[in-house]
Amino acid sequence: MDFHRTVLGIELGSTRIKAVLLNDKHQPIASGSYGWENSLTDGIWTYPLEEVHKGLQSCYADLKKDVQEKFGETLTHVGALGVSSMMHGYLAFDKNGELLVPFRTWRNTITGQAAEKLTGLFGFNIPQRWSIAHLYQAMLKKEAHLPQLDYLTTLAGYIHRMLTGERILGIGDASGMFPIDSTALDYDAGMCEKFDALIAEAGYTWRLRDILPKVLVAGENAGVLTEAGARFLDPDGDLLPGIPAAPCEGDAGTGMAATNSVRVHTGNVSAGTSDFAMIVTDRQLRVHREIDMVTTPDGLPVAMVHCNNCTSDINAWAELFRQFAAAIGKELSDDELYPLLFNAALSGDADCGGLLSYNYFSGEGVTDVDEGRPVFLRLPDSRFTLQNFMRTHLLSALSTLKIGLDILTVEEKVSATKLYGHGGFFKTPVVGQKLLSAAAGVPVSVMQTAGEGGPYGMALLCAFMLWKKPGETLPDYLDEQVFAGAETSTVMAEEADIAGFNRFLARYKAAFPVERTAAETLQED
């Protein structure tokens, strides 16, 4: 096997770190993974950097093992590599590379004051999870670490620097730190000046561009794997330095690449721990608190509806059913349990028979809730069946997303004729597609490779950097070189399912004060 003709994508997701190795036909030939979870520590959702390092190395070791078993060779080199991760958040370092405060992930909703002030200042929506909102909130609170601040980045940017020594970000990931000018393919200069004025007023000596990573677009070279980077990724010492690195990206950008949704008017939905819909537009939109404006990996504007909560509540209920099954002597694996529960949902009433749930494990920016409280409720005469119960939780996972999509489609007249789905919500065939189609009112397609998700998309960006033709654009490369013969399944919901979802959503909105009251009144001891 000529591993010089392979590309490696690694993505640090919310619940799993995964690596995918592709051959020069863009086919996955090996993979590795490591499961992990964020923790709520002192009121902050975080991952310790020690766990980041352990997880990344364990994932790569799992990939090496897969290569050894399939090819009988020790993996020592690839043609190119790249890393992606959850976007946003706050990773602040001093000049010695020491972390100044624990990693604050995208899941935190603790920057409301900063987000509101910056949105007004910029005339551009700044969500709470964005890096610049975290930075400004720290400035408003006069946090003690700020005088030592030398570098602010995302999780992907941190890993990329560990591997290559380069302080860069792909433009898609950068667009979740600070607003991007899609014409200049860089941070918006006017907004940088406005923020620098806030920095100067607060008395800090650094300026915004000094502490942010340099922006690169898909196809550019982002350095090479150093000797130290190779030892970091592969402590066994087998991996050789000198491997070209693609610009690191965020999970939104890799999801777009993985689903061939980088051309104007294409769209995709990623649904796992969080869910988000992304539609590539031909213009910047008006300011909506519920809508992020980010970019594709090559810099086109993208309207994103991002929801902090999707499958966590589903997973919690699935675990309860697993425990019940074990109690009666039936052990169920994920591959048995989840299809059983998801398929049951298809037999439920279209509007869930009067059942209702809110899947908020954490706060939710779209609906302006700072703390999450998972809630299930019903009327005494609701049709309380397993089928309706599961359908309720699956529709709940899509309801906040639908609220944001309606702003795009109704108020901004932004539309996509079809959505591509990827992520764990779509792993059981047909179910997730049909219910998302009922929510969005358009067909939903899933590619055969969608299960590989973000790391597959990151590997494709590595392939584009390595194998693109002169002058070839990313949309053309994906259309012509990668997805021309891709196997895709498409599902369109029936009118009864669409009408049922709309009835469920009307009930969901009307009862929303229940969720707010739960957050206000149910507190930890």
Side-chain angles (χ1 to χ4, degrees):
M1 178 71 187
D2 182 7
F3 288 101
H4 287 103
R5 298 291 298 174
T6 65
V7 287
L8 172 61
I10 303 173
E11 182 157 290
L12 294 90
S14 301
T15 59
R16 188 170 61 151
I17 303 173
K18 187 172 181 182
V20 173
L21 188 68
L22 308 185
N23 62 18
D24 57 5
K25 296 181 176 60
H26 309 99
Q27 299 166 330
I29 58 172
S31 64
S33 66
Y34 175 82
W36 69 343
E37 287 284 353
N38 56 189
S39 58
L40 186 62
T41 305
D42 297 327
I44 300 294
W45 290 103
T46 188
Y47 297 86
L49 288 193
E50 296 78 12
E51 183 71 7
V52 172
H53 298 175
K54 175 187 174 183
L56 188 65
Q57 291 165 358
S58 297
C59 174
Y60 183 78
D62 196 40
L63 171 77
K64 280 179 63 180
K65 179 182 177 183
D66 196 33
V67 169
Q68 182 68 46
E69 291 174 350
K70 289 178 176 175
F71 301 99
E73 298 182 44
T74 298
L75 187 62
T76 61
H77 58 273
V78 295
L81 59 79
V83 62
S84 58
S85 78
M86 304 165 278
M87 291 173 65
H88 318 296
Y90 189 75
L91 275 163
F93 298 90
D94 66 17
K95 63 181 180 181
N96 297 317
E98 296 296 323
L99 187 66
L100 291 169
V101 292
F103 175 28
R104 300 168 184 175
T105 77
W106 59 270
R107 199 169 195 172
N108 290 286
T109 48
I110 56 176
T111 65
Q113 181 185 10
E116 181 179 356
K117 287 180 176 291
L118 290 178
T119 297
L121 178 67
F122 294 159
F124 184 100
N125 183 40
I126 302 295
Q128 288 202 49
R129 66 187 174 279
W130 279 34
S131 305
I132 196 62
H134 281 279
L135 175 60
Y136 189 45
Q137 190 70 42
M139 290 167 57
L140 291 173
K141 293 171 64 179
K142 297 180 171 58
E143 292 193 25
H145 72 277
L146 289 176
Q148 286 76 49
L149 180 61
D150 179 71
Y151 184 46
L152 178 63
T153 190
T154 65
L155 185 55
Y158 168 68
I159 297 298
H160 188 91
R161 188 182 184 190
M162 293 289 289
L163 297 179
T164 68
E166 301 288 342
R167 290 169 47 150
I168 68 95
L169 272 190
I171 194 167
D173 203 9
S175 71
M177 291 193 78
F178 192 86
I180 291 290
D181 179 342
S182 288
T183 301
L185 299 177
D186 200 356
Y187 302 116
D188 186 283
M191 296 183 199
C192 282
E193 289 181 5
K194 290 180 179 179
F195 196 83
D196 278 342
L198 297 178
I199 296 170
E201 181 181 328
Y204 300 113
T205 58
W206 37 265
R207 291 294 176 265
L208 191 59
R209 286 186 180 274
D210 297 333
I211 62 169
L212 290 182
K214 179 182 177 182
V215 176
L216 296 180
V217 297
E220 293 188 277
N221 188 288
V224 298
L225 183 68
T226 63
E227 180 71 36
R231 297 294 74 78
F232 169 66
L233 186 59
D234 181 17
D236 291 341
D238 296 317
L239 186 62
L240 300 175
I243 298 170
C248 53
E249 263 299 346
D251 51 359
T254 57
M256 284 186 275
T259 55
N260 194 20
S261 303
V262 298
R263 199 180 289 280
V264 173
H265 301 311
T266 60
N268 79 94
V269 171
S270 172
T273 303
S274 63
D275 60 348
F276 47 88
M278 311 193 68
I279 300 177
V280 186
T281 74
D282 56 2
R283 68 189 193 279
Q284 291 286 343
L285 307 183
R286 291 174 295 172
V287 177
H288 298 277
R289 181 182 53 77
E290 302 89 348
I291 307 296
D292 295 24
M293 289 304 299
V294 291
T295 78
T296 63
D298 57 345
L300 290 177
V302 176
M304 177 166 73
V305 181
H306 184 286
C307 307
N308 286 351
N309 300 278
C310 184
T311 60
S312 292
D313 201 30
I314 297 170
N315 295 340
W317 285 107
E319 181 58 31
L320 185 69
F321 287 123
R322 190 201 309 277
Q323 291 173 17
F324 173 76
I328 62 172
K330 178 65 174 178
E331 300 289 340
L332 293 175
S333 68
D334 283 354
D335 290 339
E336 294 170 314
L337 177 62
Y338 279 87
L340 180 69
L341 296 176
F342 270 58
N343 282 309
L346 284 186
S347 301
D349 296 329
D351 66 350
C352 304
L355 308 185
L356 194 58
S357 75
Y358 298 94
N359 67 331
Y360 289 7
F361 261 56
S362 65
E364 190 60 76
V366 172
T367 49
D368 199 25
V369 174
D370 288 339
E371 292 186 61
R373 298 292 185 273
V375 172
F376 172 73
L377 61 157
R378 63 191 175 100
L379 294 170
D381 59 349
S382 296
R383 285 174 43 79
F384 192 27
T385 65
L386 174 65
Q387 292 81 2
N388 282 340
F389 183 81
M390 287 310 304
R391 192 178 184 98
T392 295
H393 289 293
L394 267 60
L395 294 196
S396 174
L398 299 173
S399 293
T400 306
L401 187 75
K402 170 64 170 174
I403 291 169
L405 280 174
D406 282 348
I407 294 171
L408 284 180
T409 57
V410 177
E411 296 185 34
E412 290 290 343
K413 310 300 181 187
V414 172
S415 62
T417 56
K418 179 168 62 177
L419 292 173
Y420 285 90
H422 65 109
F425 190 82
F426 303 102
K427 187 173 182 180
T428 300
V430 178
V431 181
Q433 287 175 264
K434 186 173 184 179
L435 296 182
L436 176 59
S437 177
V442 298
V444 175
S445 297
V446 172
M447 294 182 178
Q448 187 181 41
T449 52
E452 302 294 350
Y456 174 70
M458 188 65 242
L460 291 180
L461 294 175
C462 294
F464 175 63
M465 179 190 74
L466 206 59
W467 299 323
K468 67 182 183 298
K469 300 173 184 176
E472 190 172 26
T473 65
L474 179 62
D476 287 346
Y477 182 86
L478 295 178
D479 276 346
E480 298 166 13
Q481 305 299 326
V482 180
F483 294 111
E487 293 185 34
T488 303
S489 67
T490 301
V491 172
M492 178 65 205
E494 299 172 2
E495 287 299 325
D497 292 312
I498 296 173
F501 184 92
N502 289 334
R503 290 195 299 273
F504 176 87
L505 185 65
R507 192 161 60 244
Y508 181 95
K509 291 178 178 178
F512 202 82
V514 172
E515 172 63 26
R516 294 194 186 280
T517 301
E520 293 167 0
T521 58
L522 184 60
Q523 301 292 329
E524 294 183 6
D525 293 334

